[in-house]
Amino acid sequence: MRILDWYRVDRSAPMRRALAWGACLMAAGSLVIGLSFLARQPVSVRWLAAAVGFVSIVSAPIVALLGLRNGLREDRYIAVLPEGVWLHLEGDGCVVQWDTLARVAFDADHDALVFSLRAGDELRVERRFAGVTNRDLAARLDTARRKASFHLL
């Protein structure tokens, strides 16, 4: 199977959230440890603050890596193949053959891709894809459909 082009579902928001949590925990832990050395508190309070800061610093990369792992675990994409479009969005996905596809359009009301089949059915994809707007992606997929109709892929 030869993949001509592919578009991955945008997972940047969960990735940024995981990195932000990791950075905040790291900064909070560093601040707590720094303040524990500067504070004029009993030694037991300073040691407790230093321990809390240390736990925060150690847990920060773990939290970030677990969040990133969950973001990368979701493998959802649209691939353009010579024989059709592979919609790998749920489960194992499906291939929509070029000759069964009437057109690919953009639904501005729902920010969705609409795959209109010649049989009259529609497949709607209401996800965002990384690096491209859904409007541009619909245009690119429809261009690929037209090229495939002339055996240019």
Side-chain angles (χ1 to χ4, degrees), residues 13-73:
M15 300 282 201
R16 279 194 301 263
R17 195 169 28 255
L19 291 173
W21 273 106
C24 288
L25 281 172
M26 183 70 71
S30 300
L31 183 65
V32 168
I33 287 178
L35 290 176
S36 73
F37 288 124
L38 296 175
R40 298 179 188 261
Q41 297 294 324
V43 174
S44 62
V45 172
R46 287 188 293 188
W47 274 102
L48 178 64
V52 168
F54 178 76
V55 168
S56 177
I57 287 173
V58 168
S59 66
I62 295 169
V63 167
L65 287 174
L66 288 175
L68 292 173
R69 180 187 61 132
N70 289 338
L72 291 175
R73 184 182 297 165

Side-chain angles (χ1 to χ4, degrees), residues 119-132:
D121 298 331
E122 283 187 349
L123 297 171
R124 300 179 70 78
V125 177
E126 295 184 6
R127 295 178 185 264
R128 292 181 183 258
F129 293 86
V132 65

